[in-house]
Amino acid sequence: VMPGTDRAQITTRIILQNVRALAADQQHQQDVEGEPKYVTVVTLLLTPEEAEVLTLAATEGRIQLALRNTLDSGESNTPGRRIASLIAAQPDAPRPPSAARPRPAPAPRVDPGPVIESYEGGRRTLLRFESGGRN
């Protein structure tokens, strides 16, 4: 955060998605006062363009890594968040009870029949059987 920056304008954004982490470890480094400190080091597999985006984000702001389920590889296109979106316009206003919010009707359950679910690495496979034992 730059001095004089309006904190209400600070925005968080997803800048890279579905990036492969090759390694994560801790290294021993010295802090500004020369005291020993452990820092987390993550090695990512990036294209040159992704490396530029990550470098700019690291030098102009702060970065945070988040792990996702290996089966969740869809792209997320979020508008980002600002501090003001995390708090109500009137901080002392009571929050409505969760029961006041309409809830969607649950989807009807359909029995798919017998299913074998297997995982190999990050790949999930479902083998469904029709009634009568045929697949």
Side-chain angles (χ1 to χ4, degrees):
V1 177
M2 304 288 284
T5 302
D6 180 10
R7 289 192 50 83
Q9 297 302 315
I10 296 172
T11 305
T12 181
R13 289 292 315 232
I14 297 173
I15 58 169
L16 296 173
Q17 295 185 54
N18 299 325
V19 172
R20 186 171 301 264
L22 299 178
D25 201 359
Q26 287 189 338
Q27 287 185 351
H28 178 86
Q29 292 184 353
Q30 292 181 351
D31 65 10
V32 178
E33 290 86 29
E35 296 295 319
K37 180 179 179 182
Y38 283 99
V39 295
T40 301
V41 177
V42 179
T43 303
L44 304 174
L45 181 61
L46 301 173
T47 65
E49 292 81 11
E50 290 170 333
E52 289 174 345
V53 169
L54 186 62
T55 301
L56 182 61
T59 57
E60 296 300 321
R62 291 185 293 178
I63 59 170
Q64 179 72 40
L65 302 178
L67 294 176
R68 291 172 67 177
N69 184 317
T70 56
L71 302 177
D72 179 16
S73 60
E75 291 286 322
S76 292
N77 187 13
T78 64
R81 292 283 182 228
R82 291 194 175 170
I83 293 174
S85 73
L86 299 178
I87 56 176
Q90 299 174 2
D92 295 330
R95 298 185 73 153
S98 61
R101 290 186 219 128
R103 295 184 184 217
R109 297 197 66 163
V110 177
D111 184 13
V115 176
I116 295 177
E117 183 174 4
S118 69
Y119 293 89
E120 183 176 342
R123 193 175 63 130
R124 176 180 172 212
T125 304
L126 296 175
L127 183 58
R128 299 182 192 279
F129 292 88
E130 297 174 10
S131 60
R134 294 176 297 159
N135 61 355

